[in-house]
Amino acid sequence: MSESFTTVMWGNASNAAIPVPRSVVEALGGGGRARVHVVVNGFEFTSVLASNLGEPAIGFSQVRRRESGIQPGDALDVTLTLVSA
């Protein structure tokens, strides 16, 4: 199952995350720590849903920011696919 949405990257020079709407987490059905395949503005990776200030999010490391060219404040087109255990 996949869910797509648009958002804006949270963060600063040290920390960044992709905010995930609660409705997307619920639709995926994997819970708050689900493993997901992420496609963000064409850049792909696998991660785990986490929390940032109490809201669902996916961490986006400095390495991923360098590789993708995506930075905090950028508009994002995101597709999440639940990864089977």
Side-chain angles (χ1 to χ4, degrees):
M1 166 175 276
S2 296
E3 289 289 321
S4 297
F5 59 97
T6 58
T7 190
V8 174
M9 176 77 72
W10 286 341
N12 54 44
S14 300
N15 299 299
I18 300 167
V20 180
R22 289 185 189 277
S23 60
V24 169
V25 175
E26 292 170 11
L28 287 171
R33 296 285 301 161
R35 189 164 177 78
V36 291
H37 178 77
V38 182
V39 180
V40 56
N41 293 3
F43 181 76
E44 298 185 37
F45 62 100
T46 300
S47 189
V48 175
L49 288 173
S51 179
N52 186 352
L53 301 174
E55 296 297 323
I58 297 169
F60 206 74
S61 68
Q62 289 180 348
V63 170
R64 286 189 178 131
R65 284 181 268 159
R66 277 194 304 273
E67 290 174 352
S68 67
I70 298 168
Q71 297 298 320
D74 287 353
L76 307 176
D77 291 315
V78 182
T79 299
L80 302 181
T81 304
L82 193 60
V83 175
S84 303

